Amino acid sequence: MNETKYWTWFMAAGVVILVLLGLHMMIMHLGAFTHLFVVDKGVEATAVVNSQSRDANLFFTITYVLLLGTALFHGLYGLRTILFELTLKKSMEKALSVLFIVLGLGLFCLGTWAAFTAHANALKAPAPQAAVSEGR
Amino acid sequence: MAEVKRFDNRLGLWGWLGGGRWGIERYAYILHRLTGLGILAYFLMHIVVTSLRAKGIYLWAGEDAILAKPIFKVGEFLVFAAFAYHAFNGLRLVFVEMGFAVGKPIEPIYPYKTSLGVQRPLFIAMMILAAIFFFAGGAEFLGLVK
């Protein structure tokens, strides 16, 4: 019964990831088409000035944490499902589950701390000079 | 509780990678798993690398940055391509799991009909969307669009 519940959460997490990671990819890999959320269009979306401007935006801080949690669950549960198909012993299945929970929670704490610290740092930093490279 | 009977994994890797007579959807399933594993491996490292920005370390920014080297740029594009496939094929799987685009149940009268033919237009539509994403990302990666 629990596995059915986890599988439903796994699918729901996939849909959330599709939206949030889709937005992330639109910014990072399709920026030449979308120009979404960049203060300096003359440099890449991954440039420090653009990265800091997103960190200063609470929308990104919250969605980063949401994406982090859903993606960790979706990814690690998916890997667990694949490994369990190897018909492992019960003790091994339990050990893997514990390992993935510890790994997932550890990385979630690290990423959440980083998102909020980067947000606080970006608010303290001087305002990014918009469109510097455009000569304005 | 009864002991589960275990069998040797006789087919080995081929048991996972071989599609046998199951058609294109089976290969889509295999590729879904492979792209998922690739994205997960990248994602676990991505969390650590991007967390360093909290300490002011941007390993990906600047010309001399480690992660700005061409090999990592190619790797990043491969992750993007994997995402494009995994996302749209995953959306198809969610639709199918929810019972959309699989057709109405029919009585199993010989010669039996498979629902795969009913599902295939959804598969093709999702692959077209994935391909659009892939080529758009490819155009940006190659610097064809500024």
Side-chain angles (χ1 to χ4, degrees), chain A residues 7 11 18 21 25 29-33 44 46 48 52 55 68 71 75 79 85 87-88 107 110 114 121, chain B residues 6 16 33 37 40 43-44 47 51 53-54 58 60-61 73 76 80 83 87 91 97 133 136-137 140 145-146:
Chain A
W7 184 255
M11 277 200 307
L18 181 70
L21 192 56
M25 291 296 184
H29 291 276
L30 298 172
F33 295 95
E44 289 185 338
T46 51
V48 175
Q52 282 182 337
D55 277 333
L68 177 69
L79 177 58
E85 283 181 12
T87 58
L88 306 168
L107 287 171
L110 172 69
N121 290 348
Chain B
R6 296 174 196 285
W16 274 353
R33 288 196 153 187
L37 290 173
L40 178 65
F43 178 55
L44 297 181
I47 294 169
S51 290
R53 78 192 191 285
Y58 293 81
W60 61 88
K73 290 282 181 191
E76 239 176 36
F80 172 78
F83 160 78
L91 191 58
E97 180 110 2
F133 245 70
E140 175 161 337
V145 189
K146 295 279 180 189

Side-chain angles (χ1 to χ4, degrees), chain B residues 105-116:
Chain B
I106 54 170
E107 279 191 55
I109 300 168
Y110 191 82
Y112 307 122
K113 286 181 182 169
T114 169
S115 76
L116 284 177

Side-chain angles (χ1 to χ4, degrees), chain A residues 3-64:
Chain A
E3 290 300 327
T4 308
K5 192 171 69 183
Y6 297 148
W7 184 255
T8 308
W9 280 109
F10 174 76
M11 277 200 307
V15 175
V16 173
I17 294 165
L18 181 70
V19 175
L20 296 180
L21 192 56
L23 176 66
H24 187 70
M25 291 296 184
M26 296 277 237
I27 295 168
M28 297 298 177
H29 291 276
L30 298 172
F33 295 95
T34 62
H35 294 298
L36 283 171
F37 301 105
V38 284
V39 289
D40 189 345
K41 290 177 183 164
V43 291
E44 289 185 338
T46 51
V48 175
V49 64
N50 289 324
S51 184
Q52 282 182 337
S53 79
R54 284 190 298 274
D55 277 333
N57 188 336
L58 193 60
F59 167 78
F60 279 99
T61 306
I62 291 169
T63 53
Y64 281 158

Side-chain angles (χ1 to χ4, degrees), chain A residues 18 25 30, chain B residues 28 31-32 35 77-92 121-139:
Chain A
L18 181 70
M25 291 296 184
L30 298 172
Chain B
L31 192 56
H32 194 78
T35 52
F77 177 69
L78 289 178
V79 172
F80 172 78
F83 160 78
Y85 173 78
H86 196 87
F88 287 108
N89 190 55
L91 191 58
R92 174 183 75 89
L122 178 66
F123 174 71
I124 293 168
M126 287 302 165
M127 289 305 102
I128 289 171
L129 286 173
I132 291 170
F133 245 70
F134 173 80
F135 286 114

